[in-house]
Coordinates of all heavy atoms in Angstrom, one line a residue:
M1 N 94.9 114.2 91.7 CA 93.4 114.2 91.5 C 93.0 113.2 90.6 O 91.9 112.6 90.8 CB 93.1 115.7 90.9 CG 91.7 115.9 90.9 SD 91.3 117.6 90.5 CE 90.2 117.4 89.2
I2 N 93.6 112.9 89.3 CA 93.1 112.0 88.4 C 93.1 110.6 89.0 O 92.2 109.9 88.8 CB 93.9 112.0 87.0 CG1 93.6 113.4 86.4 CG2 93.6 111.0 86.1 CD1 94.2 113.6 85.0
K3 N 94.2 110.3 89.7 CA 94.3 109.0 90.4 C 93.2 108.8 91.4 O 92.7 107.6 91.5 CB 95.7 108.8 90.9 CG 96.9 108.7 89.9 CD 98.1 108.5 90.6 CE 99.2 108.3 89.5 NZ 100.6 108.1 90.0
E4 N 92.8 109.8 92.1 CA 91.8 109.6 93.1 C 90.4 109.4 92.4 O 89.7 108.5 92.7 CB 91.7 110.9 93.9 CG 92.9 111.1 94.8 CD 93.0 112.4 95.4 OE1 92.0 113.3 95.1 OE2 93.9 112.7 96.0
I5 N 90.1 110.0 91.3 CA 88.9 109.9 90.5 C 89.0 108.5 89.8 O 88.0 107.8 89.9 CB 88.8 111.0 89.4 CG1 88.7 112.4 90.1 CG2 87.8 110.7 88.5 CD1 88.8 113.5 89.0
L6 N 90.2 108.1 89.4 CA 90.3 106.9 88.8 C 89.9 105.7 89.8 O 89.3 104.8 89.4 CB 91.7 106.7 88.3 CG 91.9 105.6 87.2 CD1 90.9 105.9 85.9 CD2 93.3 105.8 86.6
K7 N 90.4 105.9 91.0 CA 90.2 104.9 92.0 C 88.7 104.7 92.3 O 88.1 103.6 92.3 CB 90.8 105.2 93.4 CG 92.3 104.9 93.4 CD 93.0 105.2 94.6 CE 94.4 105.0 94.6 NZ 95.1 105.4 95.8
E8 N 87.9 105.8 92.3 CA 86.5 105.8 92.5 C 85.8 105.2 91.3 O 84.8 104.3 91.6 CB 85.9 107.2 92.7 CG 86.2 107.9 93.9 CD 85.7 109.3 94.0 OE1 84.6 109.6 93.4 OE2 86.3 110.2 94.5
L9 N 86.2 105.4 90.1 CA 85.7 104.8 88.9 C 85.9 103.4 88.8 O 85.1 102.6 88.5 CB 86.2 105.5 87.6 CG 85.7 106.9 87.5 CD1 86.5 107.7 86.4 CD2 84.2 107.0 87.1
I10 N 87.1 102.9 89.2 CA 87.4 101.5 89.3 C 86.6 100.8 90.3 O 86.0 99.7 90.0 CB 88.9 101.2 89.4 CG1 89.7 101.7 88.2 CG2 89.2 99.7 89.8 CD1 91.2 101.6 88.3
S11 N 86.4 101.4 91.4 CA 85.5 100.6 92.5 C 84.1 100.6 92.1 O 83.4 99.7 92.4 CB 85.8 101.4 93.8 OG 85.3 102.7 93.8
S12 N 83.7 101.6 91.3 CA 82.2 101.6 90.9 C 82.0 100.7 89.6 O 80.9 100.4 89.2 CB 81.8 103.0 90.7 OG 82.3 103.6 89.5
F13 N 83.0 100.3 89.0 CA 82.9 99.5 87.8 C 82.6 98.1 88.0 O 83.3 97.4 88.9 CB 84.2 99.6 87.0 CG 84.3 98.9 85.7 CD1 83.5 99.1 84.6 CD2 85.2 97.7 85.6 CE1 83.6 98.4 83.5 CE2 85.3 97.1 84.4 CZ 84.5 97.4 83.3
E14 N 81.6 97.6 87.3 CA 81.3 96.0 87.5 C 81.2 95.5 86.2 O 80.6 96.1 85.1 CB 80.0 95.9 88.2 CG 80.0 96.3 89.6 CD 78.7 96.1 90.3 OE1 77.8 95.4 89.7 OE2 78.5 96.8 91.3
T15 N 81.8 94.2 85.9 CA 81.7 93.7 84.6 C 81.9 92.1 84.9 O 82.0 91.7 86.0 CB 83.0 94.1 83.7 OG1 82.8 93.5 82.5 CG2 84.3 93.7 84.2
E16 N 81.6 91.3 83.9 CA 81.8 89.9 84.0 C 83.3 89.6 84.4 O 84.1 90.2 83.8 CB 81.4 89.2 82.7 CG 80.0 89.2 82.4 CD 79.0 88.7 83.5 OE1 79.4 87.5 84.0 OE2 78.0 89.2 83.8
R17 N 83.5 88.6 85.3 CA 84.7 88.3 85.8 C 85.4 87.5 84.8 O 86.7 87.8 84.7 CB 84.6 87.4 87.0 CG 85.8 87.0 87.7 CD 85.5 86.1 88.9 NE 86.8 85.7 89.5 CZ 86.9 85.3 90.7 NH1 85.9 85.1 91.4 NH2 88.2 85.0 91.2
Y18 N 85.0 86.9 83.8 CA 85.7 86.2 82.8 C 85.9 86.8 81.5 O 86.3 86.2 80.6 CB 85.1 84.7 82.6 CG 85.1 84.0 84.1 CD1 83.8 83.9 84.7 CD2 86.2 83.5 84.7 CE1 83.7 83.3 86.0 CE2 86.2 82.9 85.9 CZ 84.9 82.7 86.5 OH 84.9 82.1 87.8
Y19 N 85.6 88.0 81.4 CA 85.8 88.7 80.2 C 87.3 88.8 79.8 O 88.1 89.0 80.9 CB 85.2 90.2 80.3 CG 83.9 90.4 79.9 CD1 83.0 89.3 79.7 CD2 83.3 91.6 79.9 CE1 81.6 89.5 79.3 CE2 82.0 91.8 79.6 CZ 81.1 90.7 79.4 OH 79.9 91.0 79.1
P20 N 87.6 88.8 78.6 CA 89.1 89.0 78.3 C 89.4 90.4 78.7 O 88.7 91.3 78.9 CB 89.2 89.0 76.8 CG 87.8 88.3 76.4 CD 86.9 88.6 77.4
E21 N 90.8 90.6 79.0 CA 91.2 91.9 79.5 C 91.0 93.1 78.6 O 90.6 94.2 79.1 CB 92.7 91.7 79.8 CG 93.2 90.8 81.0 CD 94.6 90.8 81.1 OE1 95.4 91.2 80.3 OE2 95.1 90.2 82.3
K22 N 91.1 92.9 77.4 CA 90.9 94.1 76.4 C 89.4 94.4 76.4 O 89.1 95.7 76.4 CB 91.2 93.6 75.1 CG 92.6 94.0 74.5 CD 92.9 95.4 74.6 CE 94.0 95.8 73.7 NZ 94.5 97.0 73.9
L23 N 88.5 93.5 76.6 CA 87.1 93.8 76.6 C 86.8 94.5 77.9 O 85.9 95.4 77.9 CB 86.3 92.5 76.5 CG 84.8 92.7 76.3 CD1 84.4 93.6 75.1 CD2 84.2 91.3 76.0
K24 N 87.5 94.1 79.0 CA 87.2 94.8 80.4 C 87.6 96.3 80.2 O 87.0 97.2 80.7 CB 87.9 94.1 81.4 CG 87.3 92.9 82.1 CD 88.1 92.5 83.2 CE 87.7 91.1 83.7 NZ 88.3 90.6 84.8
Y25 N 88.8 96.4 79.6 CA 89.3 97.8 79.4 C 88.3 98.6 78.6 O 88.1 99.8 78.9 CB 90.7 97.7 78.6 CG 91.3 98.9 78.4 CD1 91.9 99.8 79.3 CD2 91.3 99.4 77.0 CE1 92.4 101.0 78.9 CE2 92.0 100.6 76.7 CZ 92.6 101.4 77.6 OH 93.0 102.6 77.3
K26 N 87.8 98.1 77.5 CA 86.8 98.9 76.6 C 85.6 99.2 77.4 O 85.1 100.3 77.3 CB 86.6 98.2 75.4 CG 87.7 98.1 74.4 CD 87.5 97.3 73.2 CE 88.8 97.4 72.2 NZ 88.4 96.6 71.1
D27 N 85.1 98.2 78.2 CA 83.9 98.4 79.0 C 84.1 99.4 80.0 O 83.3 100.2 80.3 CB 83.4 97.1 79.7 CG 82.8 96.2 78.9 OD1 82.4 96.5 77.6 OD2 82.6 95.0 79.2
F28 N 85.4 99.5 80.5 CA 85.7 100.5 81.6 C 85.8 101.9 81.0 O 85.3 102.8 81.7 CB 87.1 100.1 82.2 CG 87.5 101.2 83.3 CD1 86.8 101.3 84.5 CD2 88.6 102.0 83.0 CE1 87.2 102.2 85.4 CE2 89.0 102.9 84.0 CZ 88.3 103.0 85.2
L29 N 86.3 102.0 79.7 CA 86.3 103.4 79.0 C 84.9 103.8 78.9 O 84.6 105.0 79.0 CB 87.0 103.2 77.7 CG 88.5 103.3 77.7 CD1 89.1 103.0 76.3 CD2 88.9 104.7 78.2
A30 N 83.9 102.8 78.4 CA 82.5 103.2 78.3 C 82.0 103.6 79.6 O 81.2 104.6 79.7 CB 81.8 102.1 77.8
H31 N 82.3 103.0 80.7 CA 81.9 103.3 82.1 C 82.3 104.7 82.4 O 81.4 105.4 83.0 CB 82.3 102.2 83.0 CG 82.1 102.6 84.5 ND1 80.9 102.6 85.0 CD2 83.0 102.9 85.6 CE1 81.0 102.9 86.4 NE2 82.2 103.2 86.5
V32 N 83.6 105.0 82.2 CA 84.1 106.3 82.5 C 83.3 107.4 81.8 O 82.8 108.4 82.2 CB 85.6 106.5 82.2 CG1 86.1 107.9 82.4 CG2 86.3 105.5 83.2
Y33 N 83.1 107.1 80.5 CA 82.4 108.1 79.7 C 81.0 108.4 80.1 O 80.5 109.6 80.3 CB 82.4 107.6 78.2 CG 81.8 108.8 77.2 CD1 82.7 109.7 76.7 CD2 80.5 108.8 77.0 CE1 82.2 110.7 75.9 CE2 80.0 109.8 76.1 CZ 80.9 110.7 75.6 OH 80.3 111.6 74.7
M34 N 80.2 107.3 80.3 CA 78.9 107.4 80.9 C 78.8 108.1 82.3 O 77.8 108.7 82.5 CB 78.1 106.0 80.8 CG 78.1 105.5 79.3 SD 77.2 106.6 78.1 CE 75.6 106.8 78.9
T35 N 79.7 107.7 83.1 CA 79.7 108.3 84.4 C 79.7 109.9 84.4 O 78.8 110.5 85.0 CB 80.7 107.8 85.3 OG1 80.6 106.4 85.4 CG2 80.8 108.3 86.7
F36 N 80.7 110.3 83.5 CA 80.9 111.8 83.4 C 79.7 112.3 82.6 O 79.2 113.5 82.9 CB 82.2 112.1 82.7 CG 83.4 112.1 83.7 CD1 84.2 111.1 83.8 CD2 83.4 113.2 84.6 CE1 85.2 111.1 84.5 CE2 84.5 113.1 85.5 CZ 85.4 112.1 85.5
D37 N 79.2 111.6 81.6 CA 78.0 112.1 80.8 C 76.8 112.4 81.8 O 76.1 113.3 81.6 CB 77.7 111.1 79.9 CG 76.8 111.7 78.7 OD1 77.2 112.8 78.2 OD2 75.7 111.1 78.4
K38 N 76.6 111.4 82.7 CA 75.5 111.7 83.7 C 75.7 112.9 84.4 O 74.7 113.6 84.7 CB 75.3 110.4 84.5 CG 74.8 109.1 83.9 CD 74.8 108.1 84.8 CE 74.4 106.8 84.1 NZ 74.6 105.4 85.0
K39 N 76.9 113.1 84.9 CA 77.2 114.4 85.6 C 77.0 115.6 84.9 O 76.4 116.5 85.5 CB 78.6 114.4 86.3 CG 78.8 113.2 87.4 CD 80.2 113.2 87.8 CE 80.4 112.3 89.0 NZ 81.7 112.2 89.6
I40 N 77.4 115.5 83.6 CA 77.2 116.8 82.7 C 75.8 117.0 82.5 O 75.4 118.1 82.7 CB 78.0 116.4 81.4 CG1 79.6 116.4 81.7 CG2 77.7 117.5 80.3 CD1 80.4 115.9 80.6
V41 N 75.0 116.0 82.1 CA 73.5 116.1 82.0 C 72.9 116.7 83.1 O 72.0 117.5 83.0 CB 73.0 114.9 81.4 CG1 71.5 114.9 81.3 CG2 73.6 114.5 80.0
S42 N 73.2 116.2 84.3 CA 72.4 116.6 85.5 C 72.9 118.0 86.0 O 72.3 118.5 86.8 CB 72.7 115.7 86.6 OG 74.0 115.6 87.1
S43 N 74.0 118.5 85.5 CA 74.5 119.9 85.9 C 73.6 121.0 85.3 O 73.1 120.9 84.2 CB 76.0 120.1 85.4 OG 76.7 119.2 85.9
K44 N 73.3 122.1 86.1 CA 72.5 123.0 85.8 C 73.2 124.3 85.3 O 72.7 125.1 84.5 CB 71.6 123.5 86.9 CG 70.8 122.4 87.6 CD 69.5 122.2 86.8 CE 68.6 121.1 87.5 NZ 68.2 120.1 86.8
V45 N 74.5 124.4 85.7 CA 75.4 125.6 85.5 C 76.3 125.1 84.3 O 77.1 124.2 84.5 CB 76.1 126.1 86.7 CG1 76.9 127.2 86.6 CG2 75.0 126.2 87.8
D46 N 76.5 126.1 83.4 CA 77.6 125.9 82.3 C 79.0 125.6 82.9 O 79.8 124.9 82.3 CB 77.5 127.0 81.3 CG 76.4 127.0 80.5 OD1 75.7 125.9 80.3 OD2 76.0 128.0 79.8
R47 N 79.2 126.4 83.9 CA 80.6 126.3 84.4 C 80.9 124.9 85.0 O 82.0 124.3 84.9 CB 80.7 127.3 85.6 CG 82.1 127.3 86.2 CD 82.2 128.4 87.2 NE 83.6 128.8 87.5 CZ 84.0 129.7 88.3 NH1 83.0 130.5 88.8 NH2 85.2 129.8 88.6
E48 N 79.9 124.4 85.6 CA 80.1 122.9 86.2 C 80.0 121.9 85.1 O 80.8 121.0 85.1 CB 78.8 122.7 87.1 CG 78.9 121.4 87.9 CD 77.8 121.2 89.0 OE1 77.7 122.1 89.8 OE2 77.1 120.3 88.7
M49 N 79.3 122.1 84.0 CA 79.2 121.2 82.8 C 80.6 121.2 82.2 O 81.2 120.2 81.9 CB 78.2 121.7 81.9 CG 76.7 121.5 82.3 SD 75.7 122.2 81.2 CE 75.5 121.1 79.9
N50 N 81.2 122.4 82.1 CA 82.5 122.5 81.5 C 83.6 121.8 82.4 O 84.5 121.2 81.9 CB 82.9 124.0 81.2 CG 82.1 124.6 80.0 OD1 81.5 123.9 79.3 ND2 81.9 125.8 80.2
K51 N 83.4 121.9 83.7 CA 84.4 121.3 84.5 C 84.3 119.8 84.3 O 85.4 119.1 84.4 CB 84.1 121.7 86.0 CG 84.8 121.0 87.1 CD 84.3 121.3 88.5 CE 83.7 120.1 89.1 NZ 83.2 120.3 90.5
Y52 N 83.1 119.2 84.2 CA 83.1 117.7 84.1 C 83.4 117.4 82.7 O 84.0 116.2 82.6 CB 81.6 117.2 84.4 CG 81.2 117.2 85.8 CD1 80.1 117.8 86.2 CD2 82.0 116.6 86.7 CE1 79.8 117.9 87.7 CE2 81.7 116.5 88.1 CZ 80.6 117.2 88.5 OH 80.3 117.3 89.9
K53 N 83.3 118.2 81.7 CA 83.7 117.8 80.4 C 85.3 117.8 80.3 O 85.9 116.9 79.7 CB 83.2 118.9 79.4 CG 81.8 118.7 78.9 CD 81.2 119.8 78.0 CE 79.9 119.7 77.8 NZ 79.3 120.8 76.9
K54 N 85.9 118.8 80.9 CA 87.4 118.7 81.1 C 87.8 117.6 81.8 O 88.8 117.0 81.3 CB 87.8 120.1 81.5 CG 89.4 120.2 81.6 CD 89.9 121.5 82.3 CE 91.3 121.7 82.3 NZ 92.2 120.5 82.1
M55 N 87.3 117.3 82.9 CA 87.6 116.2 83.7 C 87.5 114.8 82.9 O 88.4 114.0 83.0 CB 86.6 116.1 85.0 CG 87.5 115.8 86.2 SD 86.3 115.5 87.6 CE 86.0 117.3 88.1
R56 N 86.4 114.8 82.2 CA 86.2 113.5 81.4 C 87.4 113.4 80.4 O 87.9 112.3 80.3 CB 84.9 113.6 80.7 CG 84.6 112.4 79.8 CD 83.2 112.3 79.1 NE 83.1 113.6 78.3 CZ 81.8 113.8 77.9 NH1 80.9 113.1 78.0 NH2 81.7 114.9 77.2
I57 N 87.7 114.5 79.7 CA 88.8 114.3 78.7 C 90.1 114.0 79.4 O 90.8 113.1 78.9 CB 88.9 115.7 77.9 CG1 87.6 115.9 77.1 CG2 90.1 115.8 77.0 CD1 87.5 117.3 76.4
D58 N 90.4 114.6 80.5 CA 91.7 114.4 81.1 C 91.7 113.0 81.6 O 92.8 112.3 81.5 CB 91.8 115.3 82.3 CG 92.0 116.9 82.0 OD1 92.3 117.1 80.8 OD2 91.9 117.7 82.7
V59 N 90.7 112.4 82.2 CA 90.7 111.0 82.8 C 90.8 110.0 81.6 O 91.6 109.1 81.7 CB 89.4 110.8 83.6 CG1 89.4 109.3 84.0 CG2 89.6 111.7 84.9
I60 N 90.1 110.3 80.5 CA 90.1 109.3 79.4 C 91.5 109.4 78.7 O 92.1 108.3 78.3 CB 89.0 109.6 78.4 CG1 87.7 109.1 79.0 CG2 89.3 108.9 77.1 CD1 86.5 109.5 78.3
N61 N 92.1 110.5 78.6 CA 93.5 110.7 78.1 C 94.4 109.9 79.1 O 95.4 109.2 78.6 CB 93.9 112.0 78.0 CG 93.3 112.8 76.7 OD1 92.8 112.0 75.9 ND2 93.2 114.1 76.8
Y62 N 94.3 110.1 80.3 CA 95.2 109.2 81.2 C 94.9 107.9 81.1 O 96.0 107.0 81.1 CB 94.8 109.7 82.7 CG 95.7 109.1 83.7 CD1 96.9 109.7 84.1 CD2 95.3 107.9 84.3 CE1 97.8 109.1 85.0 CE2 96.2 107.4 85.3 CZ 97.3 107.9 85.6 OH 98.2 107.2 86.5
I63 N 93.7 107.4 81.0 CA 93.5 105.9 80.8 C 94.2 105.4 79.6 O 94.7 104.3 79.6 CB 91.9 105.7 80.8 CG1 91.3 106.0 82.2 CG2 91.7 104.2 80.4 CD1 89.9 105.9 82.3
V64 N 94.0 106.1 78.5 CA 94.5 105.6 77.2 C 96.1 105.6 77.3 O 96.7 104.7 76.7 CB 94.0 106.6 76.0 CG1 94.8 106.2 74.7 CG2 92.5 106.3 75.8
A65 N 96.7 106.7 77.9 CA 98.2 106.8 78.0 C 98.7 105.6 78.9 O 99.9 105.3 78.8 CB 98.5 108.1 78.5
H66 N 97.9 105.2 79.9 CA 98.4 104.2 80.8 C 97.5 102.9 80.7 O 97.2 102.3 81.8 CB 98.3 104.7 82.3 CG 99.2 106.0 82.5 ND1 98.7 107.3 82.3 CD2 100.5 106.1 82.9 CE1 99.7 108.1 82.5 NE2 100.7 107.4 82.8
E67 N 97.3 102.5 79.5 CA 96.5 101.3 79.3 C 96.9 100.1 80.1 O 96.1 99.4 80.7 CB 96.4 101.0 77.8 CG 95.6 99.8 77.4 CD 95.6 99.6 75.9 OE1 96.0 100.4 75.2 OE2 95.1 98.5 75.5
N68 N 98.2 99.8 80.0 CA 98.6 98.5 80.7 C 98.4 98.5 82.2 O 98.1 97.6 82.9 CB 100.2 98.3 80.4 CG 100.4 97.9 78.9 OD1 99.5 97.4 78.3 ND2 101.5 98.2 78.4
Q69 N 98.7 99.8 82.8 CA 98.3 99.9 84.2 C 96.9 99.7 84.6 O 96.6 99.0 85.5 CB 98.9 101.2 84.8 CG 100.4 101.3 84.7 CD 100.9 102.7 85.2 OE1 100.0 103.7 85.0 NE2 102.0 102.9 85.8
I70 N 96.0 100.3 83.8 CA 94.6 100.1 84.1 C 94.3 98.8 83.8 O 93.4 98.3 84.7 CB 93.9 101.2 83.1 CG1 94.4 102.6 83.2 CG2 92.4 101.0 83.2 CD1 94.1 103.2 84.6
I71 N 94.7 98.0 82.9 CA 94.3 96.6 82.6 C 94.6 95.8 83.8 O 93.8 95.0 84.4 CB 94.9 96.0 81.3 CG1 94.2 96.8 80.1 CG2 94.7 94.6 81.3 CD1 94.8 96.3 78.7
K72 N 95.9 96.1 84.4 CA 96.3 95.3 85.6 C 95.3 95.6 86.8 O 95.0 94.7 87.5 CB 97.7 95.7 85.9 CG 98.8 95.1 85.1 CD 100.2 95.6 85.4 CE 101.2 95.0 84.5 NZ 102.5 95.5 84.8
Q73 N 95.0 96.9 86.9 CA 94.1 97.2 88.0 C 92.8 96.5 87.9 O 92.1 96.2 88.9 CB 94.0 98.7 88.2 CG 95.2 99.4 88.7 CD 95.1 100.9 88.9 OE1 94.0 101.5 88.5 NE2 96.1 101.5 89.4
L74 N 92.2 96.5 86.6 CA 90.9 95.9 86.3 C 90.9 94.4 86.6 O 89.9 93.8 86.8 CB 90.5 96.1 85.0 CG 90.2 97.8 84.7 CD1 89.9 98.0 83.2 CD2 88.9 98.2 85.6
S75 N 92.1 93.9 86.5 CA 92.3 92.4 86.6 C 92.4 91.8 88.1 O 92.3 90.7 88.3 CB 93.5 91.8 85.9 OG 93.3 92.1 84.5
K76 N 92.5 92.8 89.0 CA 92.6 92.4 90.4 C 91.3 91.8 91.0 O 90.2 92.3 90.6 CB 93.1 93.6 91.3 CG 94.5 94.0 90.8 CD 94.9 95.1 91.8 CE 96.4 95.6 91.5 NZ 96.7 96.7 92.2

């Protein structure tokens, strides 16, 4: 599930092509956070908000744990 969400987030991520890899990675982390933040803010039900908050934490933890793999995917 996390990998599927990650694929969607990577495909929706846009940045300057010539940015250094570390900067792309940091921009991607911000993109992930803001994407989930928009979903949380637009949610009307607490249960849905909590679902997106948990999802955001899980995805960000995965990204941090697999930093090198994420950087390679962003460099493609």
Side-chain angles (χ1 to χ4, degrees):
M1 184 173 130
I2 289 179
K3 290 184 180 182
E4 295 163 3
I5 295 169
L6 203 53
K7 284 180 184 178
E8 287 179 37
L9 289 166
I10 289 173
S11 67
S12 68
F13 176 65
E14 294 181 17
T15 189
E16 291 295 320
R17 185 176 178 164
Y18 301 107
Y19 273 6
E21 291 177 348
K22 265 304 203 194
L23 190 55
K24 280 185 188 177
Y25 174 76
K26 290 179 182 181
D27 283 349
F28 180 66
L29 278 174
H31 170 71
V32 170
Y33 186 89
M34 294 306 298
T35 300
F36 278 106
D37 195 53
K38 288 177 188 174
K39 290 181 179 184
I40 292 166
V41 168
S42 67
S43 298
K44 305 277 188 230
V45 182
D46 284 342
R47 187 174 190 176
E48 192 173 298
M49 291 171 79
N50 291 335
K51 176 182 112 176
Y52 286 127
K53 286 178 183 177
K54 183 180 179 342
M55 223 185 280
R56 176 175 62 190
I57 291 168
D58 291 344
V59 170
I60 289 176
N61 285 340
Y62 182 89
I63 291 169
V64 170
H66 298 91
E67 179 178 348
N68 291 332
Q69 290 176 328
I70 301 299
I71 288 174
K72 285 179 187 176
Q73 289 181 358
L74 293 174
S75 298
K76 291 181 182 179

